[in-house]
Amino acid sequence: TTQAGSGYYTYIDLVVASDSSLGTVYSPTAAPTYNDGDDVAPRNMTADNLPFPKVSSASSVYKTYYSYRAFDSVDAAWYCSGGSKACWVKIDLGYGRAQPIDSYGIKVTNTLLGRSPGDWTLKGSNDNTNWDTLDTVSGATGWSNYEKRTYTCDVTGTAYRYFMLDISDNDGGDNYTTFTELYLYYDAPLTSISASVSDTVNVSENI
């Protein structure tokens, strides 16, 4: 609630007029278009909040191994801080940009592979509070250098703004967990097809 003059207002509309000096103005309705199987996770992040409107976050970060490194297409890993193998990484696709997925991928590092994810749950949310479980994996072992594995979601059909990889254990390593990239693959909605028969064929048989 905001006070203005002698009144109080709960909602305020912000109207932005066209002005070339402003450069590009973000529109929440300008969501990208994807084809079935496209990666909806950003691959060009340079900070936890760049490029806008994407925002990455994590339960913890070790030194400069920030959460955005899971979405930057560079083999430089995200690391959770030591002390616990359990941790999570999350991506916010932005307002008005919820997407449905049916599979996802994880790419690991090329060193200390015991720190790679071993047990986890992939979750989706539209309010960053209530989370739906999309897939659960236990006992992912034997990772090789820079290996990428793809998994099919158990639950599909709903578009989500937020996705979280919630890791409960690593692959038998010490109290650090790490990987290089998280991929989220678009699930194109089914398109209904209608067909009509315009011609009638009469078949007669003489006996």
Side-chain angles (χ1 to χ4, degrees):
T1 302
T2 301
Q3 183 180 8
S6 60
Y8 288 84
Y9 303 95
T10 300
Y11 301 99
I12 298 174
D13 285 335
L14 176 64
V15 178
V16 179
S18 177
D19 185 342
S20 60
S21 66
L22 296 177
T24 301
V25 179
Y26 168 66
S27 170
T29 61
T33 301
Y34 296 102
N35 296 315
D36 192 46
D38 285 352
D39 181 17
V40 304
R43 299 263 68 85
N44 60 341
M45 295 195 74
T46 56
D48 287 351
N49 60 350
L50 292 174
F52 183 83
K54 307 293 191 299
V55 178
S56 66
S57 57
S59 54
S60 62
V61 173
Y62 177 68
K63 294 186 177 181
T64 60
Y65 297 94
Y66 302 115
S67 60
Y68 80 85
R69 290 176 178 266
F71 307 100
D72 65 353
S73 293
V74 179
D75 289 331
W78 160 76
Y79 258 96
C80 72
S81 60
S84 176
K85 302 177 183 182
C87 52
W88 53 260
V89 173
K90 181 169 58 181
I91 185 68
D92 174 5
L93 298 180
Y95 177 79
R97 296 178 176 233
Q99 300 292 343
I101 68 167
D102 60 5
S103 58
Y104 62 101
I106 298 173
K107 184 178 180 182
V108 300
T109 67
N110 67 336
T111 183
L112 299 173
L113 294 173
R115 295 176 174 178
S116 304
D119 303 333
W120 67 80
T121 300
L122 182 71
K123 302 177 180 180
S125 174
N126 280 308
D127 60 7
N128 202 25
T129 299
N130 299 290
W131 294 88
D132 296 330
T133 295
L134 307 183
D135 191 46
T136 300
V137 173
S138 298
T141 61
W143 294 91
S144 57
N145 290 348
Y146 292 133
E147 181 182 0
K148 176 184 174 183
R149 296 181 185 177
T150 302
Y151 300 86
T152 300
C153 295
D154 291 332
V155 178
T156 61
T158 300
Y160 295 101
R161 171 179 172 175
Y162 304 89
F163 292 91
M164 177 195 296
L165 188 69
D166 191 359
I167 303 168
S168 55
D169 200 359
N170 63 22
D171 187 14
D174 55 14
N175 285 336
Y176 291 88
T177 298
T178 181
F179 62 89
T180 65
E181 296 290 315
L182 174 63
Y183 306 86
L184 303 168
Y185 296 116
Y186 180 68
D187 180 20
L190 294 176
T191 302
S192 60
I193 301 175
S194 61
S196 62
V197 178
S198 58
D199 297 321
T200 301
V201 178
N202 295 319
V203 178
S204 61
E205 182 177 347
N206 295 324
I207 301 177

